[in-house]
Amino acid sequence: MIRKLIERPIAVTMCTIAVIVLGIVASRMLPISLMPEVDIPQITVRVNAPNTSARELQASVISPLRSQLMQTGHLREITAEAKDGAGIIFLQFDYGADIDYIFIDVNERIDRAMGSLPKEVERPTVVKASATDIPAFYLNLTLADSEATGRLSDRARENKLIEMSNFAATVIAKRLEQLPQVAFVDMSGRLYPELAVIPDMARLEALGVEISQIETAIEANNINMGNLTVRDGQYQYNIRFNSTLSGRKDIEQIPLNIEGRIFRLSELATIVERPQQRQGLVLSDGREAITLAVIKQSDARMGDLKREVSRLVDNLRWDYPDIDFTVTRDQTQLLDYSIDNLESNLIVGAVLACLVIFLFMQDFRAPVLITLTIPLSLLVSLLFFFILGISINIISLSGLILGLGMMVDNSIIVIDNISQRWDRGEALKDAVSTGTGEVFAALLSSVMTTCSIFIPLIFLSGIAGAMFYDQAMAVTIGLVSSLIVAMTIIPVYYHLLYRKQHRRGRNRILQKIGVRDMAGAYERSLVWVFRHQRLVLALVLGFTAAGIFFYHELAKTMMPAIDKEDIILHVDWNRPITAAENRHRTERLVAALGEAVTHATVMAGQQQFVLSHTTETAGNETLTYIRVSDPDSLAPVVARAQAFVRSAYPEAAFRTEEAGNIFDMIFADNSAMLTARLRPTSGSAEPDKLNPLLAAVRDSLPGIRIEPVVWQEHVTLYADRDLMSLYRVDYAALYYALKSAFNENRIMEINQGQYSLPVSLGAGERTVREILASHTVLSDDKVEIPVSLLLTESPDRDLRNIVSGAEGEYYPLNLDMPDSQVPGAMTAVRNAVERNDDFEVSFSGGWFDSRDTLRQLAMVLTVSLLLLYFILASQFESLVQPFIIMSEIVVDISGALLILWVCGSSINLMSLIGLVVMSGIVINDSILKVDTFNRLRKEGYGVLRAVLTGGDRRLKPIIMTSLTTILAIVPFLFSGGMGNDLQRPLSLAIIGGMVFGTIVSVYFIPIFYYYIYRKRSGK
């Protein structure tokens, strides 16, 4: 076939051009995204129960729901958390489960559980999470000219914030949602108004009017009786009776008939429009803000979203100069940065690989021909990407870069074999035809062995396996494409370039600067190795044993550390503070971080987001997103934040969270290295029971920070039923009086279009003691009875967040420590718990996840090695020669672990994948070498002569292919960005294995081959 292709260069050229055109068209049509599209198998159930304590919510709502939802199919883990007024249940399912069907099943189970829940509890909302639900960016709106707004009164500034809230909802959010790339705009930080009816208590007492009469009058004047149809002969009319209240003026004009005298409500009470009591707020660089989380359509291209949003924001800044628009947590910038870095790495890697080829080949024609392999193989790969529906993302691009060095390997070996046969005196056409066919089996075996290593990666369980499907397929497609190019196009154009020459000439300039003949030096060194076989064997065994040491010394993590310029600080102040105090404390925290912080967005207290892309926070919690000037500044800033919180507010709990890019949402393990789940043996986990146990744990682990128990104080009011009976006061009157006193008496809501304006009846804000001391309630005899006479106050405390799982309620004690300290810490915690009769313990956390990953990768490596053996045994028709080739893998793994240890990396998912990948790549040289030994022996060479001659012939292509593979991924080590940080451990593992693998292939494999076949042949 090769000879026929050589005779038809025009046909081959036309086919090549057609493939190039198709590849270019396909590359322009491929979607570009940061990560592959993967549905997260997670469902979130949100419970809204205002005025319900965490303990009551846990007992009456969360526990029944959890019991029902635990029966859902494919459930992997369930975690529930109850807070005052709200609860949330996270359901994680096995990857690959039909999340749409599960979503329906979860809703049906909630419907079945509704009968056992309190009647006043709303039906829980169910949210199905997906990677595309992660906001592409956040847009913060703040009032411009902070100095001018700073001179405004509090009331005027609040009015402006209300106006900006309405503007953000009615204009900005709508204009963003009109973009075809935007699916939804989620908002938080809005300030809503309310109408407060504040009675004049002195005048009401003088007139003998109860507050309930005011409420009755307001409700009586806000009715809509519907329509009345009237027939008048052949005509019909609709008459509508409507007496609804539309604003403050209508409420002020409500009449009250008091003993025959008409009073307007404005004479008995003051009606004011004021901001609703805030449960949370958003600050952007110290100014109150409205933040909009913009979520893109699942099928939208990130580049199109970036372009359209940039244009819109520029127009908004021009149209509304009194508002500042700040874009934060921009995923589109991350996409551009990561993709640009990977593309530059692709170019640098290709240039370095070409440079190696020029220096070794010492000719301009053959290297140019090999260099053409890279763009041709890439275009063919992109064409297959389009056919298989693979997008351009940091995973698939890194796979192409990983395969870049291997793409030229096939062409290097084909051209080198052709050149050697031509140099030995064969005719050019015969050398091209025979030389190409001679290495086809070995090259096919090399590609198959490499693919056999990559393909099992897609069987990794969970999202990791789904994500790295793109990488495995990218490398496989690249290798198959390069093999097709090497076996069809390279021979044709080699013959076309050299057909007018009688022998292959070398460029004199390249001969001077290129790599000189290494045959003599290699033969002398190989002879020395043969003479010191025992020493070499001892070195190999010793280095292999050292790999065990490196493995134990390396830290084990789930994912590699990625350089970041932003992070989220999560602080629970652990005190029942107001929103204003929460803001004050957070502003102090941000001020203590230093000048390295270039932007800070504070989300203090409860937020108003609909989706679960942001951590749920209570009124005394805060999330502070910070961005710093460079990655090196982030760790010191976090350390300053932690030191400030522990010194200024030692009772507070502090932790950090990922800033929330798509990679972090999918892969980042926010759990601690070790979580001790302290389950109460009876009753519930109460602070008074937990504190002695935590003190014992703290004594057992003196070097580890134990966060304080996050608890809350609450006041329980007990009514004296005997006194209530004596003074003839019923519970309803007492409850109504307290409800009004605490500003919780909401009478009605006025529809204002985009929002409802609530009307509440009550006084200004007062403390519990002030209300008990000054408030009264009317008895049935119209006698004012002080509520302090009827009620007694009892302070109590309980956990603020009550966490439960499949095993029931537990307290999560998070312990951050190095990987090596986890076994000792588990023993210490277990011993402390055994001495306490109130709790029992189980463990979870990142330590177990990393061990699970190690087990999965070990299984993948085992399957890959078995596939390697089967393929090699089939190629060589031998059960022994695959062992010769695969014997170097153990040594190469030790070399990879050594490089990881020296460079301060860890054993993580990426470095483990690098070890698996390296195992498939590194044996390609040994395959070619053993194949050459076999052919020379068939030609009549003795074993020793075959080993020496074959080693000499394959020395240069082995070194060239190793260098091109190494240099193609070297750029990962010296540039930043998520894509590079993600691939750096993988690159270190491959480079370390390739360096040691080349040495083993050049020296150890010949000895091993000679040692086995010398005895078999009797020579």
Side-chain angles (χ1 to χ4, degrees):
M1 186 188 75
I2 300 298
R3 190 175 292 271
K4 290 182 180 180
L5 289 176
I6 292 172
E7 296 171 353
R8 299 180 62 85
I10 295 179
V12 172
T13 302
M14 293 300 102
C15 292
T16 303
I17 293 174
V19 171
I20 291 173
V21 172
L22 289 174
I24 293 173
V25 173
S27 66
R28 297 182 65 85
M29 297 177 66
L30 283 173
I32 300 175
S33 59
L34 185 66
M35 302 291 286
E37 295 293 344
V38 175
D39 286 334
I40 301 176
Q42 175 178 299
I43 286 179
T44 303
V45 179
R46 296 173 179 273
V47 178
N48 184 32
N51 303 321
T52 305
S53 68
R55 180 62 62 186
E56 183 182 355
L57 186 65
Q58 167 69 20
S60 61
V61 181
I62 297 297
S63 184
L65 283 176
R66 181 167 49 83
S67 299
Q68 277 284 346
L69 296 175
M70 281 174 58
Q71 305 172 39
T72 309
H74 302 283
L75 181 65
R76 182 178 180 183
E77 185 176 358
I78 181 170
T79 304
E81 185 174 358
K83 301 181 180 182
D84 286 353
I88 190 165
I89 303 175
F90 293 104
L91 303 167
Q92 293 184 350
F93 299 91
D94 295 330
Y95 181 79
D98 188 345
I99 197 67
D100 294 325
Y101 170 78
I102 292 175
F103 181 73
I104 296 173
D105 188 22
V106 168
N107 277 281
E108 290 178 349
R109 294 184 183 279
I110 290 176
D111 291 336
R112 286 199 292 269
M114 287 301 297
S116 61
L117 303 184
K119 294 183 179 180
E120 63 272 13
V121 175
E122 301 175 1
R123 186 189 186 281
T125 57
V126 184
V127 179
K128 180 176 62 176
S130 171
T132 55
D133 293 336
I134 299 168
F137 62 91
Y138 288 78
L139 181 63
N140 292 345
L141 277 64
T142 55
L143 296 174
D145 190 6
S146 59
E147 293 183 0
T149 56
R151 291 193 297 267
L152 295 175
S153 65
D154 291 341
R155 182 67 179 274
R157 184 165 57 253
E158 288 173 345
N159 290 336
K160 281 187 170 292
L161 288 173
I162 292 174
E163 292 176 4
M164 188 173 67
S165 297
N166 297 334
F167 173 74
T170 58
V171 178
I172 305 301
K174 299 302 180 184
R175 291 185 63 174
L176 283 168
E177 289 177 340
Q178 288 172 1
L179 298 177
Q181 297 84 12
V182 175
F184 179 64
V185 175
D186 211 355
M187 297 180 62
S188 185
R190 293 188 63 182
L191 185 60
Y192 294 95
E194 70 172 358
L195 286 177
V197 179
I198 304 175
D200 185 340
M201 299 304 297
R203 190 162 193 187
L204 291 181
E205 292 175 5
L207 295 172
V209 178
E210 298 182 16
I211 296 179
S212 59
Q213 292 179 251
I214 296 179
E215 180 177 355
T216 303
I218 295 175
E219 292 176 344
N221 284 270
N222 185 54
I223 58 173
N224 186 352
M225 301 180 63
N227 296 335
L228 179 66
T229 302
V230 178
R231 298 178 64 89
D232 184 9
Q234 61 181 340
Y235 298 102
Q236 180 173 296
Y237 302 96
N238 289 328
I239 300 176
R240 182 179 181 186
F241 294 90
N242 185 21
S243 178
T244 58
L245 302 174
S246 60
R248 185 177 64 182
K249 292 183 178 179
D250 290 346
I251 295 176
E252 289 176 341
Q253 297 302 314
I254 292 176
L256 284 87
N257 189 333
I258 302 174
E259 297 181 356
R261 182 180 174 185
I262 302 299
F263 289 88
R264 300 294 177 184
L265 184 59
S266 58
E267 300 178 70
L268 305 176
T270 304
I271 296 89
V272 296
E273 183 172 337
R274 66 186 183 188
Q276 294 184 30
Q277 185 175 359
R278 307 189 73 171
Q279 302 297 321
L281 52 86
V282 177
L283 302 176
S284 178
D285 289 330
R287 289 183 285 171
E288 289 200 44
I290 311 298
T291 186
L292 292 80
V294 180
I295 299 166
K296 82 176 187 72
Q297 293 281 3
S298 59
D299 57 348
R301 298 183 62 165
M302 191 72 84
D304 296 339
L305 175 65
K306 174 182 174 60
R307 182 177 59 256
E308 294 298 327
V309 168
S310 297
R311 183 184 299 118
L312 176 60
V313 171
D314 289 341
N315 291 337
L316 292 174
R317 286 170 177 156
W318 176 264
D319 294 338
Y320 306 103
D322 55 335
I323 295 178
D324 287 338
F325 298 87
T326 305
V327 177
T328 66
R329 301 160 74 172
D330 189 353
Q331 302 294 314
T332 62
Q333 290 182 352
L334 184 62
L335 170 70
D336 291 343
Y337 183 61
S338 299
I339 297 296
D340 290 346
N341 278 348
L342 289 171
E343 289 176 349
S344 64
N345 287 353
L346 190 64
I347 296 172
V348 172
V351 170
L352 292 175
C354 294
L355 180 61
V356 170
I357 296 169
F358 275 94
L359 294 178
F360 273 84
M361 299 296 291
Q362 299 177 3
D363 181 19
F364 280 109
R365 298 185 184 185
V368 168
L369 190 58
I370 294 174
T371 304
L372 290 176
T373 303
I374 296 175
L376 283 175
S377 299
L378 286 175
L379 287 174
V380 173
S381 300
L382 293 176
L383 180 58
F384 278 106
F385 271 31
F386 180 77
I387 294 172
L388 297 176
I390 299 175
S391 66
I392 296 294
N393 53 70
I394 66 174
I395 300 296
S396 59
L397 264 184
S398 62
L400 284 180
I401 296 173
L402 187 60
L404 176 66
M406 294 180 281
M407 286 180 185
V408 298
D409 290 355
N410 295 326
S411 298
I412 289 174
I413 293 167
V414 168
I415 289 178
D416 182 76
N417 204 53
I418 293 173
S419 300
Q420 287 191 31
R421 299 191 74 90
W422 192 20
D423 291 342
R424 292 199 295 268
E426 291 187 17
L428 177 59
K429 184 174 289 188
D430 294 335
V432 171
S433 178
T434 307
T436 303
E438 191 175 58
V439 296
F440 174 73
L443 291 181
L444 180 61
S445 178
S446 298
V447 171
M448 291 178 65
T449 53
T450 305
C451 293
S452 69
I453 284 290
F454 275 97
I455 290 176
L457 291 177
I458 67 177
F459 295 108
L460 285 174
S461 67
I463 296 176
M467 295 294 290
F468 289 101
Y469 168 85
D470 281 20
Q471 187 172 56
M473 291 303 298
V475 176
T476 302
I477 290 170
L479 291 178
V480 173
S481 302
S482 67
L483 180 62
I484 295 172
V485 171
M487 301 307 298
T488 57
I489 297 174
I490 294 298
V492 173
Y493 286 101
Y494 188 97
H495 179 267
L496 198 63
L497 287 174
Y498 290 100
R499 70 183 186 279
K500 294 183 180 181
Q501 295 183 208
H502 297 290
R503 63 183 181 85
R504 186 170 66 94
R506 291 178 171 83
N507 186 276
R508 287 179 293 178
I509 299 176
L510 290 178
Q511 276 186 303
K512 293 180 180 180
I513 64 175
V515 178
R516 301 186 182 278
D517 187 16
M518 300 176 291
Y522 172 66
E523 185 174 349
R524 289 190 297 272
S525 60
L526 188 59
V527 169
W528 183 90
V529 168
F530 270 94
R531 289 176 180 174
H532 301 82
Q533 294 182 30
R534 293 185 178 180
L535 176 61
V536 172
L537 181 60
L539 290 174
V540 169
L541 293 177
F543 188 71
T544 302
I548 301 175
F549 167 78
F550 300 140
Y551 174 80
H552 285 288
E553 287 297 312
L554 286 167
K556 283 83 174 176
T557 59
M558 181 65 179
M559 294 302 297
I562 297 177
D563 288 338
K564 302 181 181 69
E565 295 181 353
D566 54 4
I567 202 167
I568 293 176
L569 310 178
H570 185 171
V571 182
D572 187 323
W573 301 111
N574 207 5
R575 285 291 183 269
I577 59 176
T578 63
E581 176 62 17
N582 194 344
R583 171 178 180 171
H584 170 69
R585 294 188 177 193
T586 308
E587 287 176 338
R588 289 189 61 196
L589 170 63
V590 174
L593 299 182
E595 298 180 354
V597 176
T598 59
H599 173 76
T601 296
V602 173
M603 296 183 184
Q606 296 179 8
Q607 298 302 305
Q608 301 162 342
F609 292 121
V610 175
L611 299 180
S612 57
H613 46 72
T614 302
T615 303
E616 296 282 341
T617 53
N620 58 351
E621 295 178 88
T622 183
L623 297 176
T624 304
Y625 167 80
I626 58 172
R627 187 172 64 241
V628 297
S629 54
D630 59 86
D632 294 335
S633 303
L634 189 59
V637 167
V638 172
R640 282 196 293 271
Q642 191 172 28
F644 170 80
V645 171
R646 290 180 178 174
S647 62
Y649 306 99
E651 70 280 1
F654 175 90
R655 73 172 188 267
T656 60
E657 298 179 4
E658 302 295 342
N661 57 60
I662 293 180
F663 176 83
D664 293 331
M665 290 291 185
I666 296 175
F667 284 110
D669 187 6
N670 290 324
S671 61
M673 180 61 71
L674 178 66
T675 298
R677 298 187 173 197
L678 304 175
R679 297 190 305 275
T681 54
S682 62
S684 58
E686 301 173 0
D688 293 336
K689 294 181 179 180
L690 277 168
N691 285 326
L693 176 58
L694 295 187
V697 173
R698 192 176 292 110
D699 294 337
S700 303
L701 302 171
I704 298 175
R705 165 76 176 177
I706 306 294
E707 293 291 342
V709 176
V710 180
W711 56 278
Q712 65 180 352
E713 291 181 347
H714 56 85
V715 176
T716 303
L717 298 177
Y718 295 94
D720 190 323
R721 289 179 293 179
D722 293 337
L723 289 177
M724 290 180 65
S725 176
L726 176 64
Y727 293 116
R728 304 182 68 181
V729 176
D730 59 25
Y731 277 105
L734 182 60
Y735 175 75
Y736 179 82
L738 291 176
K739 191 175 180 181
S740 299
F742 286 109
N743 290 319
E744 292 293 336
N745 188 9
R746 182 168 292 185
I747 304 173
M748 53 175 283
E749 291 185 349
I750 299 174
N751 187 5
Q752 296 288 316
Q754 292 296 323
Y755 63 93
S756 296
L757 181 66
V759 179
S760 61
L761 179 62
E765 293 186 8
R766 288 181 292 175
T767 65
V768 175
R769 293 184 178 180
E770 289 175 345
I771 291 173
L772 293 178
S774 62
H775 213 68
T776 60
V777 59
L778 288 177
S779 67
D780 293 343
D781 300 329
K782 304 299 181 181
V783 178
E784 295 183 6
I785 307 298
V787 294
S788 59
L789 186 63
L790 305 175
L791 298 174
T792 56
E793 177 185 353
S794 175
D796 198 0
R797 64 177 183 171
D798 199 353
L799 296 178
R800 174 169 295 115
N801 303 329
I802 301 175
V803 181
S804 57
E807 69 273 41
E809 181 183 339
Y810 67 89
Y811 179 81
L813 176 60
N814 297 319
L815 303 172
D816 286 313
M817 64 190 70
D819 177 89
S820 58
Q821 298 181 13
V822 170
M826 285 195 292
T827 302
V829 173
R830 194 175 287 112
N831 292 336
V833 172
E834 288 176 354
R835 296 191 296 268
N836 189 302
D837 297 332
D838 294 327
F839 292 92
E840 57 185 8
V841 66
S842 61
F843 297 97
S844 62
W847 189 83
F848 295 94
D849 295 335
S850 62
R851 270 23 185 207
D852 184 57
T853 302
L854 289 176
R855 286 192 293 269
Q856 290 188 44
L857 264 297
M859 181 194 70
V860 169
L861 182 59
T862 303
V863 173
S864 300
L865 293 178
L866 287 174
L867 289 175
L868 284 179
Y869 180 81
F870 297 153
I871 294 170
L872 294 174
S874 301
Q875 178 193 350
F876 292 108
E877 281 296 327
S878 171
L879 298 177
V880 176
Q881 290 186 3
F883 283 112
I884 298 175
I885 296 170
M886 297 174 64
S887 63
E888 69 167 292
I889 292 178
V890 179
V891 184
D892 301 338
I893 289 176
S894 296
L897 294 175
L898 170 63
I899 296 299
L900 290 171
W901 181 63
V902 170
C903 295
S905 186
S906 64
I907 293 180
N908 50 64
L909 179 63
M910 296 307 300
S911 58
L912 287 172
I913 289 177
L915 291 176
V916 175
V917 171
M918 179 273 302
S919 301
I921 297 174
V922 78
I923 64 171
N924 291 340
D925 296 338
S926 299
I927 292 173
L928 289 169
K929 191 177 284 289
V930 171
D931 182 71
T932 303
F933 295 162
N934 292 338
R935 283 191 291 103
L936 291 174
R937 289 179 60 211
K938 289 179 182 179
E939 294 175 7
Y941 286 66
V943 178
L944 181 59
R945 187 183 172 197
V947 168
L948 293 175
T949 305
D952 179 48
R953 288 186 182 179
R954 291 302 170 204
L955 177 63
K956 187 165 68 174
I958 284 175
I959 295 177
M960 289 175 63
T961 53
S962 298
L963 283 176
T964 53
T965 301
I966 291 172
L967 292 177
I969 58 178
V970 159
F972 280 129
L973 307 180
F974 301 103
S975 54
M978 178 187 295
N980 294 328
D981 292 339
L982 186 64
Q983 302 296 334
R984 187 173 290 116
L986 183 146
S987 304
L988 287 172
I990 293 178
I991 290 172
M994 289 295 296
V995 170
F996 285 90
T998 302
I999 298 173
V1000 171
S1001 179
V1002 169
Y1003 291 107
F1004 178 71
I1005 294 300
I1007 291 179
F1008 199 4
Y1009 186 94
Y1010 173 76
Y1011 182 77
I1012 291 177
Y1013 285 98
R1014 178 195 62 177
K1015 293 184 177 181
R1016 291 193 173 193
S1017 61
K1019 297 179 182 179

